[in-house]
Amino acid sequence: MVEPATNTQAATKVVPLLKDELDIVIPTIRNLDFLEMWRPFFQPYHLIIVQDGDPSKTIAVPDGFDYELYNRNDINRILGPKASCISFKDSACRCFGYMVSKKKYIFTIDDDCFVAKDPSGKPINALEQHIKNLLCPSTPFFFNTLYDPYRDGADFVRGYPFSLREGVKTAVSHGLWLNIPDYDAPTQLVKPLERNTRYVDAVLTIPKGTLFPMCGMNLAFDRELIGPAMYFGLMGDGQPIGRYDDMWAGWCTKVICDHLGLGIKTGLPYIYHSKASNPFVNLRKEYKGIFWQEEIIPFFQAATLPKDCTSVQKCYIELSKQVKEKLSKVDPYFEKLADAMVTWIQAWDELNPSGASAKVANGKA
């Protein structure tokens, strides 16, 4: 039985890395009691809380945390008509936090994710491992059979080209989960009692040209490198699909990272996913996506970007054009989504004028 670390187990002295260069983004509809477990790891950092659902509801945050909280009224006030690109009644609302942050790095986590323990019983500082992943190069152009060659006790294996050993910048660190796996509704229904108890001590770079299903519940990224591509789409209220928000962002991000020569890592760190969502509710949200993904994934596998797409924004706008041209044949929803992708970039650029990210990389103007 995999168990989360307790508050007592987690109470260990932590030296915060990148304290002034990283924001923690949390989407929520409830009081954030789960932060007590994360206090030893999160308290030194600034939190951006994006409240979903009823904006008149008060969300309680434990004392001692430095945070700002945005609800739907705030999103509408800040973005005006462009607020239409931010999902409502869906965890995709979290990407508003990415937009308003002025830090170089983002870590995002769901409020049902607790501190996990490694096989020795030690609490896992997920944030610290994400930072290590992001600060370490990736190797997307040639697979190393010892996985991450930059970790202690590992290196590039015989036959690995010396010209590729410098690696490339890491844009995304994708973490995993113990206890409740991140399954789709059909798999949940046929495996209702399945729990992930397997801890794999590995980090690897996802190879160039290979897509992956990105999960947003335990994720970190370099906002300056890839932030504008981290749009979680139009999901939830008023939309025909849900639970594909993080995966949509992952597919777009991977195509753009491949084009720009950036890397994505997956593996460590683990968190403890405490609560299984209702598979019948999930099925209602996912059922169109289950059909659509059989055409969406080949679309992304075949997508190419022209050489003049030299920034993330240019790449994303070009991708939105291809979405409208090719996926709107699957369903009119994708035309609406393509328009929202453009609105997202416009809103991003308004809140993050050219060069602003470099000037406020430490969170200060």
Side-chain angles (χ1 to χ4, degrees), residues 314-331:
K314 288 180 180 178
C315 290
Y316 204 72
I317 293 296
E318 172 60 28
L319 207 49
S320 74
K321 294 175 184 176
Q322 296 183 25
V323 168
K324 178 170 284 191
E325 177 188 351
K326 298 180 180 178
L327 290 183
S328 60
K329 300 170 186 175
V330 176
D331 191 273

Side-chain angles (χ1 to χ4, degrees), residues 76-222:
N76 293 338
R77 172 178 52 83
I78 293 168
L79 295 185
K82 294 183 177 65
S84 61
C85 72
I86 304 298
S87 298
F88 184 58
K89 294 186 178 178
D90 192 279
S91 65
C93 68
R94 79 177 78 217
C95 61
F96 177 76
Y98 311 159
M99 184 186 287
V100 296
S101 171
K102 300 303 177 191
K103 304 290 180 63
K104 178 173 171 53
Y105 301 99
I106 294 288
F107 170 55
T108 185
I109 187 170
D110 285 1
D111 60 13
D112 61 350
C113 294
F114 299 162
V115 178
K117 294 183 290 187
D118 68 17
S120 72
K122 180 182 177 183
I124 298 169
N125 183 349
L127 179 53
E128 181 182 53
Q129 180 63 51
H130 275 300
I131 291 171
K132 289 179 178 178
N133 291 349
L134 290 171
L135 295 181
C136 185
S138 290
T139 54
F141 305 121
F142 203 87
F143 189 81
N144 192 58
T145 50
L146 276 180
Y147 303 116
D148 194 335
Y150 305 103
R151 289 187 70 187
D152 290 342
D155 209 328
F156 293 95
V157 297
R158 180 172 55 89
Y160 200 102
F162 284 88
S163 59
L164 295 177
R165 294 190 182 195
E166 185 178 348
V168 300
K169 291 180 178 178
T170 300
V172 180
S173 171
H174 178 257
L176 301 175
W177 350 266
L178 294 172
N179 196 41
I180 305 295
D182 186 31
Y183 285 160
D184 54 36
T187 309
Q188 281 184 291
L189 286 167
V190 298
K191 294 183 173 182
L193 302 179
E194 184 158 291
R195 299 294 181 264
N196 180 34
T197 60
R198 188 174 62 158
Y199 178 98
V200 180
D201 184 15
V203 177
L204 63 152
T205 298
I206 300 173
K208 181 180 180 181
T210 300
L211 297 173
F212 74 110
M214 189 173 82
C215 174
M217 76 172 81
N218 175 25
L219 182 72
F221 59 93
D222 187 322

